[in-house]
Amino acid sequence: MRIHAGNLWAGATLWLALAAAPALAEEVVERSISSEYQSMRLVKVVDGLTHPWAVAFLPDGRKLISERPNGLVLVDRDGRKAPLQGFPAFHAFNQGGVLDVVLHPRHEDNGWIYVTYSKGDARGTVPALIRARLDGGRLTAVENIFESNTYTQPGRHYGSRLLFLPDGTLLMTIGDRGAHPPRAQDTLDHSGSIVRLNDDGTVPEDNPFVGQEGYAPEIYTYGNRNIQGMALHPATGEVWVTEHGPRGGDELNLIEAGNNYGWPVVTLGRDYRSEDRFPDAQGRQREGMVDPVFEFLPTLAPSGLAVVDSAHFPRWQGNLLAGGLRAQRILRLVVEDHAVVHAEELLRDRVGRVRDVRQGPDGYLYVLNDAPNGALYRIEPAR
């Protein structure tokens, strides 16, 4: 287990050296990749990243990239990258470390950046959330505004995607933590849930279980195994997520407040070792538990999800793009009336394990791969 203190690097000297480094030229990896409705070109924007997890786009054209074992990296407009100072101590072990990063919807006014990470002590680790501001090469005004309520060993199934809703509240996914799946049905335990918070970490008064005995007030949904893709559909306002199953059973779900998504009482997946029914499961469906909209077969191991809303890709408008770790591809999903009516594989075996998929403010699509020498790629229409 690597425990990182808040001051992870040598400081101003290293920052100045990296800032003075020559710009890194973007690399066109493939000039034309055909697909059913859109020819693409693939551009490598930044490389040399260590297990990158998420990317956020600053209004001035710079980018923030989280590296799971290291912290946050700031990438300037010319592609130069440098580590940020000031991140609180975190545990980089197994699937833990520094995870998702998003900007506040009013970032240009308030400067807030939100980051999830694995926080640990002798009891184990929990998914936690900070907000902070950026001042040159460091984070300032760092506030720990939320942490899951049960410390757990071992270090896996953190979930940890973030999404701001149109009303200004924030969703955060929390995995079942792997050790004891039935916790996802324990409504006093944040594990295996999506929580909804105000932007300062407090509980919204209209959360579905506020004031109900036997429920943690932060819980928005429960019975979720390990959600690592989450996106808001700009036209419908719907929240879509992709969720890891056990062996098989990877799911696309439509998220609605107060729902129980069934894990582990119901699952379409199987036991890892035997391929028999998952030990805690009682079947594939059950009244009062929400079925997935779609099961990814074969296994996708989903991470990263985007909704296309860009003039650059008119034939993909409104489609979901679901990244796959084990599958090493992106699936383009056409959804009509809450059903997947068509799916197409994109970038199969071209960039490796897909960790994050996002649409940038420029309307292009961005992909991070999970690798010890990872990279950020941009998908453009072929020229």
Side-chain angles (χ1 to χ4, degrees):
M1 177 180 292
R2 299 169 63 189
I3 303 174
H4 294 255
N7 192 6
L8 299 177
W9 292 278
T13 301
L14 177 58
W15 170 262
L16 292 172
L18 289 173
L24 302 173
E26 295 185 346
E27 175 189 354
V28 179
V29 179
E30 293 192 57
R31 295 190 178 278
S32 184
I33 303 170
S34 62
S35 73
E36 292 173 350
Y37 299 109
Q38 175 71 61
S39 294
M40 302 165 281
R41 90 169 186 165
L42 185 64
V43 180
K44 185 184 290 185
V45 179
V46 182
D47 61 8
L49 300 168
T50 305
H51 291 290
W53 217 90
V55 58
F57 303 90
L58 293 166
D60 62 5
R62 294 179 299 168
K63 303 173 184 67
L64 288 169
I65 298 176
S66 57
E67 293 183 313
R68 181 171 50 77
N70 293 335
L72 284 179
V73 172
L74 181 64
V75 180
D76 72 14
R77 289 179 291 274
D78 295 319
R80 292 180 289 248
K81 60 182 184 292
L84 286 180
Q85 303 287 310
F87 203 91
F90 60 95
H91 278 229
F93 172 69
N94 200 347
Q95 296 173 7
V98 177
L99 304 170
D100 209 8
V101 54
V102 301
L103 306 184
H104 192 284
R106 298 191 307 277
H107 174 82
E108 291 189 73
D109 298 325
N110 60 35
W112 287 122
I113 297 162
Y114 292 73
V115 190
T116 61
Y117 69 107
S118 54
K119 179 181 180 181
D121 63 15
R123 296 173 292 172
T125 60
V126 291
L129 172 66
I130 64 164
R131 69 176 182 177
R133 295 187 174 102
L134 182 62
D135 183 6
R138 69 178 301 110
L139 296 177
T140 62
V142 177
E143 300 178 7
N144 280 282
I145 61 172
F146 173 79
E147 64 180 59
S148 183
N149 60 5
T150 308
Y151 279 75
T152 301
Q153 298 280 0
R156 65 175 186 261
H157 291 196
Y158 290 94
S160 223
R161 286 297 176 194
L162 294 171
L163 177 68
F164 273 99
L165 298 178
D167 64 3
T169 61
L170 177 65
L171 300 183
M172 174 179 170
T173 72
I174 300 175
D176 69 354
R177 305 306 319 284
H180 186 56
R183 292 171 59 182
Q185 292 295 318
D186 181 351
T187 53
L188 287 172
D189 190 336
H190 292 140
S191 302
S193 75
I194 299 176
V195 297
R196 176 172 174 254
L197 308 167
N198 292 317
D199 64 0
D200 61 357
T202 58
V203 178
E205 294 181 357
D206 60 346
N207 265 6
F209 303 114
V210 165
Q212 293 191 38
E213 187 176 354
Y215 289 85
E218 297 87 356
I219 288 179
Y220 191 70
T221 70
Y222 62 102
N224 302 111
R225 184 173 184 264
N226 192 25
I227 295 171
Q228 291 190 343
M230 182 163 56
L232 180 74
H233 197 295
T236 65
E238 296 167 340
V239 175
W240 291 91
V241 302
T242 52
E243 180 170 346
H244 289 267
R247 185 171 295 282
D250 293 343
E251 299 178 354
L252 173 71
N253 281 304
L254 175 62
I255 293 300
E256 294 179 328
N259 278 352
N260 178 357
Y261 289 84
W263 175 256
V265 176
V266 294
T267 177
L268 302 179
R270 311 295 287 180
D271 181 66
Y272 277 114
R273 295 177 178 83
S274 67
E275 292 190 4
D276 292 335
R277 190 172 75 180
F278 192 80
D280 298 301
Q282 298 175 18
R284 295 170 64 87
Q285 291 180 309
R286 187 170 180 177
E287 186 176 355
M289 297 181 177
V290 179
D291 293 337
V293 171
F294 184 69
E295 180 188 9
F296 295 101
L297 289 174
T299 294
L300 185 66
S303 187
L305 183 68
V307 181
V308 181
D309 181 29
S310 171
H312 295 309
F313 305 96
R315 300 292 298 275
W316 292 355
Q317 192 74 6
N319 293 176
L320 305 181
L321 300 181
L325 291 163
R326 182 176 176 183
Q328 299 190 24
R329 70 202 67 177
I330 294 171
L331 280 186
R332 181 179 65 86
L333 303 175
V334 181
V335 180
E336 293 180 1
D337 299 325
H338 298 165
V340 173
V341 297
H342 182 67
E344 179 190 12
E345 292 183 338
L346 304 175
L347 303 185
R348 179 173 180 175
D349 297 328
R350 280 182 160 89
V351 300
R353 290 164 50 85
V354 176
R355 173 58 75 184
D356 197 15
V357 184
R358 309 229 174 170
Q359 182 174 295
D362 55 10
Y364 296 122
L365 303 170
Y366 289 81
V367 180
L368 279 172
N369 64 350
D370 177 34
N373 183 20
L376 175 68
Y377 295 86
R378 184 173 63 242
I379 303 172
E380 308 171 353
R383 299 180 181 180

